[in-house]
Amino acid sequence: MIKDKFDAIVVGAGPSGNAAAYTMAKQGLKVLQLERGEYPGSKNVQGAILYADALEKIIPDFREDAPLERHVIEQRLWTMDDTSYVGMHYRSDDFNEENPNRYTIIRAQFDKWFSGKVREAGVVLLCETTVTELLRDPQGRVIGVRTDREGGTAFADIVILGEGVNGLVGQRSGLRPELKPDTVALAVKEMHFLPREVIESRFNLTGNEGVVIEAMGTITDGMTGTGFIYTNQESISIGIGCIVSDFAESGRTPYGLLEAFKRHPSVRPLLEGSECKEYAAHLIPEGGYNAMPQLFGDGWIVVGDAGQFVNAVHREGSNLAMTTGRIAGETVVWLKRRREVASEANLAEYQRRLEATFVMKDLRKYRRIPDFLHRNKQIFGTYPRLLTAAAQTWFRVDGVDKRAKEKQIFQAFRNGRSLPGLIGDAFKLARSWR
Amino acid sequence: MNTTEVGGGTPGVPPVKVEERLFQNRYLVDAGRPHIKIKAHTTPSKALLALTHLCPAGCYSQNDKGQVEAVVDGCVECGTCRVLTAKTGEVEWNYPRGGFGVLFKFG
């Protein structure tokens, strides 16, 4: 299909693949990018939040024409039970800054835009092309890819795998292990459309201001997981996700869980009268640092979700994807300039460079959290119930004196989780968080 | 895809028909070439059986002989079924051919 040899082949046109391809092409490298969807973004799903910093380091003036929805001025964290939530809301006019820090985006549109920049930089993009396997030389070095196109092989000095969480090429080539049901989450999401004035009045917004809500509690029915609600210009993204093994054991359906979340008395009024125009589902790699595979080898590098680059605690992923893509691209450019080959030894530079960034620092910091959350389901059931009950006891005025109320709340916590349980949980959380 | 009801399983929430959701989506179905196949079996494993409720597109159902069947026209290509049955090897999973399958407008 492609006769010429490339400096690099990038598998996938999501944020990580685009970041890698763009970085290399801007430095004059000859890059081929392969995407299995009809257009970049057609197979991709995200909440979605765009973190400006990671993209700014690649395309500093992205705000001029990127399809951004709303810049986030308010973050809500809801701990929910069946009828109520206890919320921590942070809203600041400081986020109405000249160069906002976070935006909501619509992923398919964003990926299309990013891909346009990548092609402008000179990358050859082939869509509707699925990579079926890696090609190796007799020494085992990766030298190219085979695709499902007629005669579809292509060769390069290095292959960058930005093929996403469900990346079969790397797994089937033995570069990384199969995903495990207890470290991967399944999230489902709907896009609900409403006139922008309605969204602005319901969320107390003006202009392009936006609100994001992250929610946990009984909405996941005892499973490890969270829900989210993001405001776009004329739509609301709503979704919920839980660990796959929890879903398998619970017997719950993902869309049943989403339906219950939508019907929660605190959520329903936000969506009232909206029209759902898309239903999507996607896996999220939530295993963190301990689930990270080998990141490079002779002739290959892995970036983005395929490399488990997701910070589940802070709901960050696309920024890790873009950063790993950029660093991978920079590493390849650096090797090229030094006229060195893409051997495993030389590509260790990729990991060295990553170690200096927030990506590895954050993932290492939270390396114990996925396991903690998986083993301590009370975080998602018992505590939300105790917290909301305490709030209700405290706020309901019913002739009971305040000291008695305090006692009642304290007793409820002791009955609900026992004193050693409470202390143990606090200790375990602190140790995992450290 | 299945037309049977797939229950929400959550107390207080009426069963939801997943087909109504998938109706909103765009697909380019590769007719006659399903990208997911279930290997022949008499009794499904626990993992395979779980897919009848776990698949977010409701692609899996149980026939009257107790075997699990799949109709993957509405598949959203998440890969959950592949991950869950990786150990038992009951599901043969490939991406649809380039260009086919689900096409997200919003993602």
Side-chain angles (χ1 to χ4, degrees):
Chain A
M1 121 185 113
I2 303 277
K3 294 279 181 286
D4 317 336
K5 190 185 161 199
F6 288 83
D7 291 319
I9 292 171
V10 177
V11 181
S16 67
N18 282 339
Y22 183 88
T23 304
M24 292 186 291
K26 275 283 178 190
Q27 294 301 316
L29 270 58
K30 212 167 125 188
V31 182
L32 172 68
Q33 190 180 26
L34 303 167
E35 162 60 44
R36 69 186 184 89
E38 186 183 72
Y39 46 84
S42 65
K43 299 292 184 183
N44 303 342
V45 179
Q46 196 193 333
I49 308 284
L50 174 76
Y51 302 97
D53 176 70
L55 182 56
E56 230 165 9
K57 288 192 166 78
I58 301 162
I59 304 177
D61 58 357
F62 75 90
R63 291 180 180 85
E64 283 174 16
D65 54 359
L68 306 170
E69 291 289 311
R70 291 174 180 274
H71 63 273
V72 180
I73 63 147
E74 182 173 335
Q75 170 81 51
R76 304 180 185 174
L77 296 169
W78 286 4
T79 303
M80 306 178 77
D81 73 3
D82 297 338
T83 54
S84 45
Y85 71 80
V86 173
M88 190 187 82
H89 298 190
Y90 179 69
R91 181 182 175 108
S92 177
D93 192 47
D94 294 344
F95 286 129
N96 280 316
E97 55 209 321
E98 199 184 340
N99 291 319
N101 181 254
R102 290 188 297 165
Y103 297 88
T104 54
I105 54 165
I106 291 172
R107 201 28 216 282
Q109 294 169 4
F110 175 80
D111 285 0
K112 257 188 202 170
W113 168 85
F114 198 172
S115 178
K117 297 285 174 190
V118 169
R119 276 170 291 158
E120 273 171 35
V123 171
V124 179
L125 169 70
L126 284 182
C127 288
E128 302 190 357
T129 307
T130 303
V131 172
T132 50
E133 63 176 316
L134 295 173
L135 300 171
R136 297 174 192 256
D137 69 8
Q139 284 73 46
R141 175 196 300 275
V142 172
I143 53 166
V145 297
R146 190 184 305 284
T147 72
D148 64 350
R149 286 197 175 219
E150 188 110 357
T153 54
F155 296 90
D157 293 332
I158 187 158
V159 174
I160 297 187
L161 294 164
E163 51 175 342
V165 60
N166 194 22
L168 299 184
V169 183
Q171 274 167 20
R172 291 188 177 163
S173 306
L175 305 187
R176 52 173 187 272
E178 176 61 272
L179 298 164
K180 292 192 182 65
D182 59 351
T183 56
V184 65
L186 168 64
V188 287
K189 177 194 159 187
E190 287 180 358
M191 289 293 287
H192 283 258
F193 282 74
L194 282 166
R196 62 177 304 153
E197 313 81 65
V198 176
I199 292 175
E200 282 157 20
S201 79
R202 282 183 193 175
F203 288 87
N204 192 18
L205 303 168
T206 50
N208 286 330
E209 293 172 344
V211 167
V212 306
I213 304 174
E214 307 286 352
M216 59 161 318
T218 60
I219 49 167
T220 54
D221 210 8
M223 299 183 275
T224 300
T226 54
F228 65 86
I229 299 167
Y230 300 155
T231 54
N232 305 314
Q233 285 193 16
E234 293 179 336
S235 61
I236 292 171
S237 307
I238 180 165
I240 192 162
C242 295
I243 297 294
V244 167
S245 57
D246 283 2
F247 262 131
E249 282 158 29
S250 73
R252 297 281 180 254
T253 66
Y255 37 90
L257 206 65
L258 179 58
E259 198 59 27
F261 184 41
K262 280 159 54 188
R263 285 166 197 256
H264 191 282
S266 303
V267 175
R268 194 175 201 151
L270 299 174
L271 297 178
E272 196 73 56
S274 66
E275 188 195 350
C276 175
K277 291 196 180 174
E278 191 168 85
Y279 168 72
H282 212 266
L283 292 178
I284 306 170
E286 303 237 333
Y289 187 81
N290 292 331
M292 267 173 48
Q294 168 81 23
L295 299 174
F296 57 89
D298 278 333
W300 61 274
I301 290 183
V302 60
V303 294
D305 274 8
Q308 296 268 344
F309 291 111
V310 167
N311 180 341
V313 179
H314 288 259
R315 324 305 305 154
E316 290 178 25
S318 61
N319 56 333
L320 279 66
M322 286 191 252
T323 302
T324 55
R326 173 175 62 82
I327 303 268
E330 287 170 358
T331 305
V332 172
V333 169
W334 178 78
L335 282 179
K336 191 88 189 164
R337 296 261 184 280
R338 293 165 57 110
R339 298 177 189 282
E340 294 203 48
V341 293
S343 64
E344 180 167 347
N346 285 339
L347 288 173
E349 176 71 10
Y350 169 55
Q351 183 138 8
R352 274 196 291 276
R353 288 178 181 222
L354 275 187
E355 296 285 351
T357 67
F358 74 97
V359 173
M360 296 301 257
K361 288 177 186 172
D362 287 354
L363 290 178
R364 189 174 288 115
K365 167 173 160 50
Y366 291 125
R367 65 191 180 281
R368 297 183 194 89
I369 292 278
D371 193 48
F372 169 79
L373 294 177
H374 191 59
R375 285 171 197 277
N376 292 276
K377 297 275 190 275
Q378 65 273 19
I379 303 288
F380 299 94
T382 309
Y383 281 113
R385 281 199 184 89
L386 287 169
L387 212 59
T388 49
Q392 185 158 148
T393 304
W394 194 245
F395 293 121
R396 193 182 281 281
V397 175
D398 49 8
V400 177
D401 68 88
K402 299 299 181 264
R403 195 176 299 278
K405 279 182 184 284
E406 280 173 9
K407 230 175 147 178
Q408 201 182 322
I409 290 168
F410 189 61
Q411 201 54 47
F413 270 82
R414 288 189 68 161
N415 293 345
R417 187 57 196 147
S418 85
L419 202 53
L422 291 168
I423 295 166
D425 290 344
F427 182 71
K428 276 184 286 183
L429 177 62
R431 211 175 47 174
S432 307
W433 194 269
R434 196 175 56 180
Chain B
M1 78 209 54
N2 309 320
T3 47
T4 47
E5 167 277 320
V6 202
T10 304
V13 176
V16 196
K17 280 196 168 59
V18 71
E19 297 82 12
E20 286 166 20
R21 286 154 206 278
L22 301 177
F23 184 69
Q24 310 288 346
N25 294 355
R26 284 176 63 218
Y27 294 95
L28 192 58
V29 176
D30 199 356
R33 296 179 66 160
H35 63 287
I36 298 173
K37 288 172 194 156
I38 302 179
K39 293 193 178 152
H41 61 278
T42 40
T43 315
S45 71
K46 211 177 134 193
L48 184 59
L49 201 55
L51 296 177
T52 58
H53 67 83
L54 183 46
C55 171
C59 294
Y60 292 82
S61 61
Q62 218 175 348
N63 67 18
D64 41 16
K65 288 181 198 150
Q67 294 147 339
V68 172
E69 298 174 333
V71 181
V72 299
D73 293 359
C75 174
V76 288
E77 297 165 36
C78 65
T80 303
C81 53
R82 191 183 61 78
V83 172
L84 198 66
T85 59
K87 274 196 181 147
T88 63
E90 290 161 296
V91 170
E92 192 188 313
W93 209 101
N94 282 294
Y95 284 128
R97 277 194 295 163
F100 287 94
V102 71
L103 291 158
F104 292 118
K105 283 172 289 182
F106 309 111

